[in-house]
Amino acid sequence: MSQFLLTLSRFTAQKQAASPEAGGGLDRLLDQIGLVGKLIAQDLRRAGLIDILGTTGEVNIQGETVKKLDEIANETFLKAFHQSEHVCAIASEEMEKPVLLSENWPQAQYMLLFDPLDGSSNTDCNMPLGTIFSVVKSKHRDQMPTMDDLIHNGTEQVAAGYLLYGASTMFVYTTGQGVHGFTLEPGIGEYLLSHERIRIPARGKVYGVNEGNYHKWSAGTKKYVEYLKVQDKKAGKPYSVRYSGCLVADVHRILLGGGIYLYPGELDKPEGKLRLLYEANPLAWIVEQAGGKASTGVMRILEVEAKQLHQRVPLIIGSANDVYEAEEFIQGKCES
Ligand code: F6P
């Protein structure tokens, strides 16, 4: 815990004042995302009591069953940003197309992309969940962005972060000046700085992957995961497996303690499962800002060319040395 009591809004305002080139209002936009997080956290806390568990009976653009809480979390974002001076376009995992908010133009200069409820298979069993967000600046000052303007490479992000709804609610973000974590103090409804300048260890002892997919992986991925299980005390192996089914929770553990998370491509699905624009890119920037690495197995996530809003990408993310080693195996440069 930081020595001083610093709220999220005060902290982001101070950072904004220190680098005005980032553009005005980013601090207030982050604050507004924090508000959305509080509302989602409140729903999650009471979910078992107010009939909002289970599915809506619909399937989203990704072909996944929509949970009631997915829809509620998405609606909460829409309500919070519909009338806002910060955001002129939004895109969500839950919506096939972006929503352009021309009523907020021209004051609003940012575009917001998000996965409102990450790990939603965890909703019905009181397991951790998350929200992931990515912010980019509209390229044009003199015209409303188009739907295509939301499709951008990870290097263009101006802010990125996540909310983790676990035993406590956390807000973790970067604007390119390090990674900072805040814990929601429920008694006063404020996020307080709890993890300033997070640094990820260069190597960890934990890996997170859905090993049920083992037989669908490439030979290199299989060899890498086998290698992590070899008894080799000197090299700190075998690693322990930690996999919650919530990307945010698994990456958060690794951000704080080191290690590696993988959602690799599969033989008949080389693009993997996770979404580039609102899952992989924001988490990649967070992890890089903390000193780690994020890769597809062959290239840096942040440099992957974005072509579609709901594009998928393999994700290998975590401690720099672990991710580097995984790349060596995946590219066939290392056998054991
Ligand atoms: O959004 C995708 C997600 O729910 C992640 O949070 C999680 O890491 C992953 O999918 C789990 O996928 P699977 O059930 O295939 O392991």
Side-chain angles (χ1 to χ4, degrees):
M1 181 76 184
S2 136
Q3 201 183 343
F4 306 103
L5 282 182
L6 257 186
T7 61
L8 174 66
S9 30
R10 203 167 141 217
F11 187 85
T12 52
Q14 282 176 2
K15 292 277 172 205
Q16 172 94 57
S19 62
E21 70 283 357
L26 199 48
D27 54 340
R28 292 193 299 278
L29 168 51
L30 291 168
D31 219 29
Q32 189 76 352
I33 297 172
L35 171 66
V36 172
K38 286 182 206 172
L39 293 166
I40 294 174
Q42 186 183 353
D43 282 333
L44 295 178
R45 274 198 300 274
R46 300 177 300 164
L49 301 171
I50 55 172
D51 192 28
I52 53 172
L53 295 179
T55 63
T56 62
E58 279 163 29
V59 171
N60 70 11
I61 171 72
Q62 328 287 341
E64 293 160 354
T65 309
V66 179
K67 298 273 179 143
K68 288 183 193 166
L69 278 164
D70 282 323
E71 210 166 76
I72 291 171
N74 196 54
E75 282 298 312
T76 309
F77 264 99
L78 293 180
K79 279 187 205 148
F81 285 101
H82 240 291
Q83 298 258 310
S84 105
E85 74 266 32
H86 320 296
V87 168
C88 56
I90 49 186
S92 159
E93 182 195 7
E94 297 303 327
M95 304 187 302
E96 183 178 357
K97 291 190 176 145
V99 177
L100 301 179
L101 302 167
S102 50
E103 64 274 24
N104 298 342
W105 180 261
Q107 299 88 329
Q109 47 177 324
Y110 296 110
M111 302 185 286
L112 174 64
L113 298 95
F114 51 88
D115 176 357
L117 201 61
D118 168 62
S120 51
S121 71
N122 283 357
T123 50
D124 298 347
C125 49
N126 199 12
M127 294 276 288
L129 292 149
T131 291
I132 313 174
F133 63 88
S134 167
V135 181
V136 272
K137 211 167 173 181
S138 165
K139 286 180 196 131
H140 326 283
R141 283 304 299 146
D142 51 349
Q143 70 184 72
M144 254 302 278
T146 64
M147 292 209 187
D148 285 346
D149 289 332
L150 280 120
I151 301 170
H152 59 278
N153 289 2
T155 47
E156 292 170 50
Q157 297 174 103
V158 296
Y162 60 81
L163 281 129
L164 170 60
Y165 312 106
S168 56
T169 298
M170 282 197 71
F171 184 104
V172 177
Y173 85 97
T174 187
T175 53
Q177 303 175 66
V179 180
H180 310 290
F182 297 77
T183 302
L184 182 63
E185 163 54 85
I188 55 169
E190 288 275 10
Y191 295 97
L192 299 178
L193 182 63
S194 51
H195 298 68
E196 191 171 7
R197 289 216 167 272
I198 298 172
R199 300 299 294 169
I200 181 169
R203 181 177 284 284
K205 292 183 174 148
V206 165
Y207 73 99
V209 68
N210 182 344
E211 228 165 325
N213 292 329
Y214 182 88
H215 291 290
K216 302 180 191 169
W217 297 340
S218 69
T221 308
K222 284 179 181 167
K223 277 186 193 151
Y224 174 64
V225 172
E226 290 305 325
Y227 161 80
L228 296 177
K229 299 188 218 180
V230 168
Q231 297 280 344
D232 182 353
K233 244 188 177 171
K234 263 199 195 146
K237 295 189 295 169
Y239 279 27
S240 296
V241 191
R242 294 289 182 268
Y243 190 76
S244 70
C246 170
L247 174 64
V248 167
D250 291 328
V251 169
H252 183 71
R253 172 196 288 277
I254 284 163
L255 186 69
L256 299 185
I260 185 163
Y261 171 97
L262 304 94
Y263 212 111
E266 294 169 2
L267 294 174
D268 59 354
K269 203 176 163 198
E271 70 280 15
K273 174 180 185 188
L274 302 176
R275 276 48 63 111
L276 175 65
L277 293 185
Y278 42 80
E279 292 184 314
N281 272 344
L283 294 178
W285 197 27
I286 289 267
V287 165
E288 282 198 5
Q289 278 288 308
K293 198 165 151 63
S295 167
T296 62
V298 293
M299 72 179 290
R300 186 179 173 219
I301 289 285
L302 293 181
E303 287 172 9
V304 171
E305 190 188 349
K307 295 182 180 155
Q308 287 170 17
L309 186 60
H310 299 291
Q311 184 171 333
R312 295 175 193 264
V313 73
L315 177 65
I316 292 141
I317 187 166
S319 293
N321 293 349
D322 287 305
V323 175
Y324 175 75
E325 213 163 55
E327 285 179 326
E328 296 277 292
F329 275 90
I330 290 167
Q331 293 172 28
K333 294 182 192 160
C334 192
E335 288 292 311
S336 65

